[in-house]
Short mmCIF file of all heavy atoms in Angstrom, two decimals:
data_model
loop_
_atom_site.label_atom_id
_atom_site.label_comp_id
_atom_site.label_asym_id
_atom_site.label_seq_id
_atom_site.Cartn_x
_atom_site.Cartn_y
_atom_site.Cartn_z
N VAL A 52 -5.74 5.02 1.38
CA VAL A 52 -6.12 5.67 2.65
C VAL A 52 -4.88 6.70 3.05
O VAL A 52 -5.11 7.79 3.27
CB VAL A 52 -6.44 4.62 3.76
CG1 VAL A 52 -6.56 5.43 5.04
CG2 VAL A 52 -7.62 3.94 3.45
N ALA A 53 -3.66 6.17 2.94
CA ALA A 53 -2.51 6.87 3.35
C ALA A 53 -2.25 8.10 2.52
O ALA A 53 -1.80 9.13 2.90
CB ALA A 53 -1.23 5.95 3.35
N THR A 54 -2.66 8.05 1.19
CA THR A 54 -2.40 9.01 0.28
C THR A 54 -3.53 10.18 0.23
O THR A 54 -3.42 11.26 -0.01
CB THR A 54 -2.16 8.58 -1.11
OG1 THR A 54 -3.24 7.91 -1.55
CG2 THR A 54 -0.87 7.83 -1.17
N ILE A 55 -4.76 9.67 0.52
CA ILE A 55 -5.91 10.58 0.55
C ILE A 55 -5.96 11.40 1.75
O ILE A 55 -6.32 12.55 1.71
CB ILE A 55 -7.15 9.79 0.28
CG1 ILE A 55 -7.31 9.14 -1.00
CG2 ILE A 55 -8.40 10.58 0.70
CD1 ILE A 55 -8.40 8.21 -1.25
N LEU A 56 -5.45 11.01 2.94
CA LEU A 56 -5.55 11.77 4.14
C LEU A 56 -4.36 12.73 4.17
O LEU A 56 -3.44 12.65 5.10
CB LEU A 56 -5.46 10.84 5.43
CG LEU A 56 -6.85 10.19 5.78
CD1 LEU A 56 -6.53 9.17 6.92
CD2 LEU A 56 -7.76 11.05 6.13
N THR A 57 -4.36 13.74 3.36
CA THR A 57 -3.30 14.76 3.37
C THR A 57 -3.64 15.82 4.52
O THR A 57 -4.70 15.73 5.09
CB THR A 57 -3.34 15.50 2.02
OG1 THR A 57 -4.53 16.15 1.88
CG2 THR A 57 -3.05 14.53 0.86
N ASN A 58 -2.67 16.69 4.67
CA ASN A 58 -2.82 17.74 5.69
C ASN A 58 -4.15 18.60 5.30
O ASN A 58 -4.90 18.93 6.29
CB ASN A 58 -1.61 18.61 5.83
CG ASN A 58 -0.46 17.87 6.56
OD1 ASN A 58 -0.80 16.98 7.46
ND2 ASN A 58 0.70 18.13 6.17
N ALA A 59 -4.36 18.86 4.09
CA ALA A 59 -5.52 19.68 3.80
C ALA A 59 -6.74 18.98 4.01
O ALA A 59 -7.77 19.51 4.54
CB ALA A 59 -5.31 20.12 2.31
N VAL A 60 -6.79 17.68 3.79
CA VAL A 60 -8.07 16.91 3.95
C VAL A 60 -8.28 16.76 5.54
O VAL A 60 -9.37 16.93 6.05
CB VAL A 60 -7.97 15.56 3.39
CG1 VAL A 60 -9.04 14.63 3.85
CG2 VAL A 60 -7.91 15.60 1.83
N GLN A 61 -7.16 16.62 6.23
CA GLN A 61 -7.37 16.49 7.62
C GLN A 61 -7.91 17.83 8.34
O GLN A 61 -8.81 17.86 9.18
CB GLN A 61 -6.03 16.09 8.37
CG GLN A 61 -5.73 14.68 8.10
CD GLN A 61 -4.26 14.39 8.62
OE1 GLN A 61 -3.95 14.94 9.77
NE2 GLN A 61 -3.53 13.49 8.05
N GLN A 62 -7.36 18.94 7.84
CA GLN A 62 -7.77 20.19 8.37
C GLN A 62 -9.24 20.56 7.97
O GLN A 62 -9.89 21.28 8.74
CB GLN A 62 -6.74 21.34 7.94
CG GLN A 62 -5.43 21.19 8.62
CD GLN A 62 -4.42 22.12 8.14
OE1 GLN A 62 -4.68 22.80 7.06
NE2 GLN A 62 -3.28 22.10 8.67
N HIS A 63 -9.62 20.15 6.80
CA HIS A 63 -10.89 20.57 6.34
C HIS A 63 -12.01 19.63 6.96
O HIS A 63 -13.09 20.15 7.27
CB HIS A 63 -11.04 20.37 4.72
CG HIS A 63 -12.29 20.88 4.24
ND1 HIS A 63 -13.31 20.07 3.89
CD2 HIS A 63 -12.59 22.19 3.83
CE1 HIS A 63 -14.26 20.89 3.44
NE2 HIS A 63 -13.90 22.03 3.31
N TYR A 64 -11.84 18.31 6.92
CA TYR A 64 -12.84 17.28 7.26
C TYR A 64 -12.80 16.92 8.77
O TYR A 64 -13.74 16.43 9.39
CB TYR A 64 -12.94 16.22 6.39
CG TYR A 64 -13.36 16.55 4.98
CD1 TYR A 64 -12.40 16.58 3.89
CD2 TYR A 64 -14.62 16.84 4.65
CE1 TYR A 64 -12.71 16.93 2.68
CE2 TYR A 64 -15.12 17.18 3.42
CZ TYR A 64 -14.09 17.15 2.45
OH TYR A 64 -14.43 17.53 1.13
N PHE A 65 -11.52 16.84 9.24
CA PHE A 65 -11.34 16.38 10.65
C PHE A 65 -10.86 17.40 11.51
O PHE A 65 -9.75 17.18 12.33
CB PHE A 65 -10.44 15.20 10.60
CG PHE A 65 -10.88 14.12 9.71
CD1 PHE A 65 -10.23 13.90 8.39
CD2 PHE A 65 -11.78 13.20 10.12
CE1 PHE A 65 -10.60 12.85 7.56
CE2 PHE A 65 -12.27 12.26 9.21
CZ PHE A 65 -11.56 12.07 7.96
N THR A 66 -11.41 18.58 11.61
CA THR A 66 -10.86 19.67 12.43
C THR A 66 -10.76 19.48 13.90
O THR A 66 -9.79 19.73 14.44
CB THR A 66 -11.76 20.87 12.09
OG1 THR A 66 -11.90 21.13 10.77
CG2 THR A 66 -11.21 22.18 12.76
N TYR A 67 -11.79 18.77 14.37
CA TYR A 67 -11.83 18.56 15.82
C TYR A 67 -11.20 17.27 16.26
O TYR A 67 -10.95 17.07 17.41
CB TYR A 67 -13.23 18.67 16.32
CG TYR A 67 -13.97 20.03 16.00
CD1 TYR A 67 -14.91 20.08 15.10
CD2 TYR A 67 -13.50 21.04 16.71
CE1 TYR A 67 -15.40 21.33 14.83
CE2 TYR A 67 -14.10 22.37 16.47
CZ TYR A 67 -15.09 22.52 15.62
OH TYR A 67 -15.57 23.64 15.20
N VAL A 68 -10.94 16.42 15.34
CA VAL A 68 -10.26 15.07 15.66
C VAL A 68 -9.00 14.85 14.87
O VAL A 68 -8.79 13.85 14.28
CB VAL A 68 -11.32 13.97 15.41
CG1 VAL A 68 -12.46 13.97 16.48
CG2 VAL A 68 -11.81 13.97 14.02
N MET A 69 -8.16 15.98 14.69
CA MET A 69 -6.94 15.88 13.89
C MET A 69 -6.03 14.83 14.39
O MET A 69 -5.26 14.24 13.66
CB MET A 69 -6.31 17.26 13.82
CG MET A 69 -7.12 18.28 13.08
SD MET A 69 -6.54 18.55 11.42
CE MET A 69 -4.82 18.98 11.66
N GLU A 70 -5.93 14.70 15.74
CA GLU A 70 -5.10 13.66 16.36
C GLU A 70 -5.46 12.22 15.92
O GLU A 70 -4.57 11.48 15.53
CB GLU A 70 -5.04 13.73 17.95
CG GLU A 70 -4.66 15.00 18.37
CD GLU A 70 -3.06 15.06 18.25
OE1 GLU A 70 -2.39 14.08 18.30
OE2 GLU A 70 -2.64 16.23 18.01
N TYR A 71 -6.66 12.00 15.81
CA TYR A 71 -7.14 10.67 15.43
C TYR A 71 -6.91 10.50 13.89
O TYR A 71 -6.65 9.33 13.56
CB TYR A 71 -8.64 10.45 15.79
CG TYR A 71 -8.91 10.52 17.22
CD1 TYR A 71 -9.55 11.72 17.89
CD2 TYR A 71 -8.32 9.59 18.13
CE1 TYR A 71 -9.87 11.79 19.16
CE2 TYR A 71 -8.52 9.79 19.55
CZ TYR A 71 -9.29 10.82 20.03
OH TYR A 71 -9.49 11.01 21.27
N ALA A 72 -7.16 11.48 13.19
CA ALA A 72 -6.97 11.34 11.76
C ALA A 72 -5.53 11.19 11.44
O ALA A 72 -5.07 10.29 10.60
CB ALA A 72 -7.45 12.54 11.02
N GLN A 73 -4.62 11.78 12.15
CA GLN A 73 -3.19 11.64 11.95
C GLN A 73 -2.76 10.28 12.38
O GLN A 73 -1.85 9.70 11.78
CB GLN A 73 -2.37 12.65 12.76
CG GLN A 73 -1.00 12.67 12.53
CD GLN A 73 -0.50 13.08 11.12
OE1 GLN A 73 -1.36 13.70 10.44
NE2 GLN A 73 0.60 12.64 10.79
N ALA A 74 -3.25 9.66 13.52
CA ALA A 74 -2.95 8.41 13.81
C ALA A 74 -3.48 7.35 12.86
O ALA A 74 -2.69 6.45 12.55
CB ALA A 74 -3.60 8.06 15.18
N PHE A 75 -4.61 7.55 12.31
CA PHE A 75 -5.09 6.71 11.20
C PHE A 75 -4.15 6.78 10.02
O PHE A 75 -3.91 5.69 9.42
CB PHE A 75 -6.53 7.15 10.83
CG PHE A 75 -7.28 6.06 10.20
CD1 PHE A 75 -7.73 4.98 10.73
CD2 PHE A 75 -7.64 6.28 8.80
CE1 PHE A 75 -8.50 4.06 10.07
CE2 PHE A 75 -8.32 5.39 8.17
CZ PHE A 75 -8.84 4.23 8.79
N ARG A 76 -3.67 7.92 9.59
CA ARG A 76 -2.85 8.10 8.58
C ARG A 76 -1.48 7.40 8.80
O ARG A 76 -0.93 6.64 7.89
CB ARG A 76 -2.51 9.49 8.26
CG ARG A 76 -1.68 9.75 7.04
CD ARG A 76 -1.45 11.27 6.87
NE ARG A 76 -0.73 11.61 5.58
CZ ARG A 76 -0.31 12.81 5.35
NH1 ARG A 76 -0.49 13.77 6.03
NH2 ARG A 76 0.40 12.95 4.15
N ILE A 77 -0.91 7.47 10.08
CA ILE A 77 0.38 6.84 10.43
C ILE A 77 0.15 5.28 10.26
O ILE A 77 1.06 4.69 9.71
CB ILE A 77 0.85 7.19 11.66
CG1 ILE A 77 1.19 8.71 11.67
CG2 ILE A 77 1.93 6.39 12.19
CD1 ILE A 77 1.51 9.33 13.05
N VAL A 78 -0.95 4.79 10.75
CA VAL A 78 -1.14 3.33 10.77
C VAL A 78 -1.40 2.91 9.21
O VAL A 78 -0.76 1.85 8.85
CB VAL A 78 -2.48 2.95 11.57
CG1 VAL A 78 -2.88 1.46 11.38
CG2 VAL A 78 -2.15 3.16 13.01
N ALA A 79 -1.96 3.69 8.52
CA ALA A 79 -2.12 3.40 6.96
C ALA A 79 -0.84 3.29 6.39
O ALA A 79 -0.59 2.52 5.55
CB ALA A 79 -3.14 4.33 6.39
N ILE A 80 0.08 4.28 6.69
CA ILE A 80 1.38 4.32 6.03
C ILE A 80 2.19 3.06 6.51
O ILE A 80 2.94 2.41 5.65
CB ILE A 80 2.11 5.56 6.43
CG1 ILE A 80 1.44 6.67 5.62
CG2 ILE A 80 3.64 5.60 6.10
CD1 ILE A 80 1.97 8.13 6.09
N LEU A 81 2.09 2.69 7.69
CA LEU A 81 2.89 1.55 8.26
C LEU A 81 2.35 0.26 7.67
O LEU A 81 3.24 -0.62 7.25
CB LEU A 81 2.75 1.53 9.85
CG LEU A 81 3.57 2.59 10.63
CD1 LEU A 81 3.22 2.40 11.98
CD2 LEU A 81 5.04 2.52 10.22
N MET A 82 1.09 0.13 7.46
CA MET A 82 0.50 -1.12 6.90
C MET A 82 0.79 -1.15 5.40
O MET A 82 1.03 -2.24 4.85
CB MET A 82 -1.09 -1.09 7.08
CG MET A 82 -1.56 -1.25 8.54
SD MET A 82 -1.03 -2.77 9.25
CE MET A 82 -2.03 -3.85 8.41
N THR A 83 0.85 0.04 4.80
CA THR A 83 1.31 0.15 3.41
C THR A 83 2.69 -0.52 3.12
O THR A 83 3.03 -1.26 2.34
CB THR A 83 1.23 1.51 2.74
OG1 THR A 83 -0.19 1.95 2.86
CG2 THR A 83 1.55 1.59 1.30
N ALA A 84 3.55 0.04 3.98
CA ALA A 84 4.97 -0.33 4.04
C ALA A 84 5.10 -1.81 4.29
O ALA A 84 5.91 -2.64 3.70
CB ALA A 84 5.73 0.39 4.95
N ALA A 85 4.31 -2.37 5.37
CA ALA A 85 4.29 -3.80 5.79
C ALA A 85 3.86 -4.65 4.57
O ALA A 85 4.43 -5.61 4.12
CB ALA A 85 3.49 -4.08 6.91
#
Side-chain angles (χ1 to χ4, degrees):
V52 173
T54 56
I55 288 174
L56 281 176
T57 62
N58 286 330
V60 169
Q61 290 178 30
Q62 290 172 356
H63 187 268
Y64 294 105
F65 303 105
T66 306
Y67 300 110
V68 289
M69 292 258 305
E70 294 290 323
Y71 300 111
Q73 184 67 19
F75 197 70
R76 182 181 186 186
I77 291 171
V78 169
I80 290 170
L81 292 175
M82 293 299 287
T83 301

